[in-house]
Amino acid sequence: MTIDDFTAGFTEEPGYLDYGRVGPLSTAAAEETLAFTQVLQRARHGSLDAFGEQDSRVRAAASALTGFPVDQIAFEPNATTGLMHAMFGLTGGVLLSAEEFPSLPIAAVRAQEALHTVQPVWLETDHGKVTPGQIREQLEQGVVAVAVSLVDSRTGYLCDIEGVRQVIGDRLLIVDAIQGFGIVDAPWEAADVVVTGGHKWCRAGWGTGILALSDRALERLTPVFSGFSATEEAEPWGHVPPPAPDARAYRVSNPDPLAQARLAAALEEIADVTVPVINAAVADRVSRVIELADEYAIPVASSRDEQERAGIVVLEPPADQVTVLTASLHNHGVTATTRLGTVRLSIHAATSEETLEMLRGAFVSYSTAASY
């Protein structure tokens, strides 16, 4: 599959720059949804067997992208569930930033409150940027794990996962990958826990996600939330067997096969075109958005270095002009996220010339209004 074939599957209207919030369904995911919905609707004799095949299919697709073995990957309904599994499964200190997207610090605190086996150790950062150097300086003796975001949702900063691995030794490295999975060619082998949802950059819709675990994670984590479908028996009637020895232990119930099919279709398409090719297309369009912001003197708060960014550009106009910029984007049909005094633009591989011209028009209106 070529990059042109891939971008042809983006059918959202021009002006959409909000993949960091939600990625509109890809054509592949939408068609898979329709096909399996019709199978379920009709329930022809023998047709339901296909639903049971989607679990192995989605795990194989995730394995192709991450390099984790199939049996060390579990489908999850969202990224937060995977993070809860990881945090509740820890014993000891976990070093993380309180400025991460709330899913991560809240999971750590809830685990501490409920089980008293994990202790959050709060990392001081450089304006939200988590770096290997900061982690090295703040590692404490009782820290058994470090948790980071692959891409920070507020700053757009791309974490140096490989650098973090080098400084933490054999401690567990937990990566919330949702803001870059599918567009960042990350060194997944450096991580012990990779958690992501499929509704953003993968464009697979809500209710989709994966939890991938290294050998070390399987050995050290305890599967606290481990339901009836998480054992080695299909239906353990009359007794309670132990959790399965692999990633199945982190299932609570039977997964939604329609959601699995959607995610599988999206991941298979990404693997077909390859993440580096997608990443190059994203990087080119991100550079063009930054150039547009510079042209109209709109301050860019996110990194300009391709090694430190993914698909997010954060604009930080003067505080009294944030509303003006937000209104200008809205009036020109540009979908973006305004949060905590900044405007976040999320750019994907298919961001079109028409979308960039709409963004230019919004910047022109903003600059005109801001000059008065």
Side-chain angles (χ1 to χ4, degrees):
M1 175 181 284
T2 68
I3 188 66
D4 289 339
D5 295 329
F6 178 69
T7 57
F10 288 69
T11 56
E12 55 267 33
E13 294 184 1
Y16 195 83
L17 293 173
D18 213 8
Y19 298 92
R21 178 164 65 108
V22 58
L25 278 182
S26 69
T27 297
E31 290 178 347
E32 204 76 357
T33 301
L34 179 60
F36 275 93
T37 298
Q38 291 176 338
V39 171
L40 183 59
Q41 181 181 11
R42 294 187 175 91
R44 289 174 178 157
H45 178 68
S47 66
L48 298 185
D49 292 345
F51 292 104
E53 300 168 359
Q54 299 312 304
D55 185 67
S56 59
R57 177 190 174 194
V58 72
R59 289 186 293 112
S63 176
L65 286 177
T66 63
F68 282 76
V70 171
D71 63 354
Q72 293 177 205
I73 296 173
F75 177 83
E76 300 291 348
N78 46 58
T80 298
T81 298
L83 291 174
M84 296 290 276
H85 276 302
M87 290 299 172
F88 274 76
L90 283 172
T91 299
V94 56
L95 182 65
L96 73 162
S97 169
E99 298 178 76
E100 298 282 11
F101 186 80
S103 289
L104 199 49
I106 288 177
V109 171
R110 293 290 182 264
Q112 177 192 32
E113 294 170 340
L115 301 180
H116 309 290
T117 57
V118 63
Q119 174 64 47
V121 178
W122 301 113
L123 178 74
E124 295 183 10
T125 68
D126 177 16
H127 299 90
K129 296 180 180 179
V130 174
T131 67
Q134 294 160 341
I135 290 173
R136 182 194 299 112
E137 293 172 2
Q138 298 176 55
L139 277 175
E140 299 179 1
Q141 185 174 358
V143 170
V144 300
V146 174
V148 301
S149 291
L150 176 65
V151 178
D152 185 88
S153 64
R154 288 192 293 182
T155 67
Y157 180 74
L158 175 61
C159 187
D160 179 4
I161 301 300
E162 204 162 31
V164 173
R165 166 50 66 198
Q166 291 173 4
V167 302
I168 69 172
D170 71 346
R171 296 174 177 87
L172 294 182
L173 176 54
I174 300 168
V175 180
D176 178 354
I178 195 169
Q179 283 293 3
F181 195 82
I183 64 166
V184 173
D185 188 21
W188 301 119
E189 68 279 0
D192 293 295
V193 179
V194 176
V195 177
T196 190
H199 73 283
K200 296 181 185 287
W201 303 90
C202 293
R203 300 149 56 238
W206 290 289
T208 59
I210 62 164
L211 169 65
L213 303 167
S214 70
D215 291 336
R216 181 163 40 201
L218 285 169
E219 177 185 343
R220 298 183 187 178
L221 293 180
T222 300
V224 175
F225 297 103
S226 188
F228 83 93
S229 68
T231 75
E232 293 190 276
E233 300 179 34
E235 293 183 345
W237 292 91
H239 69 122
V240 180
D246 52 26
R248 284 175 296 172
Y250 295 87
R251 293 181 10 163
V252 175
S253 186
N254 287 324
D256 177 356
L258 276 76
Q260 290 181 315
R262 272 190 283 119
L263 181 58
L267 298 185
E268 288 162 356
E269 189 175 50
I270 291 169
D272 198 3
V273 69
T274 76
V275 173
V277 170
I278 296 171
N279 180 262
V282 171
D284 173 70
R285 285 154 179 80
V286 167
S287 294
R288 295 184 63 184
V289 168
I290 292 174
E291 290 169 2
L292 272 178
D294 289 344
E295 184 178 343
Y296 293 94
I298 302 173
V300 175
S302 51
S303 181
R304 297 167 180 270
D305 185 347
E306 283 193 25
Q307 302 303 312
E308 297 181 351
R309 74 185 198 209
I312 292 174
V313 174
V314 180
L315 306 178
E316 191 171 15
D320 60 347
Q321 297 297 323
V322 174
T323 301
V324 177
L325 178 56
T326 300
S328 296
L329 292 167
H330 176 79
N331 292 338
H332 284 79
V334 176
T335 304
T337 289
T338 298
R339 176 190 289 161
L340 301 174
T342 63
V343 174
R344 186 183 70 186
L345 305 175
S346 306
I347 298 96
H348 214 312
T351 296
S352 64
E353 293 296 330
E354 186 175 356
T355 294
L356 293 175
E357 283 306 307
M358 293 168 71
L359 184 62
R360 177 186 292 276
F363 286 172
V364 169
S365 294
Y366 164 75
S367 298
T368 301
S371 65
Y372 283 97

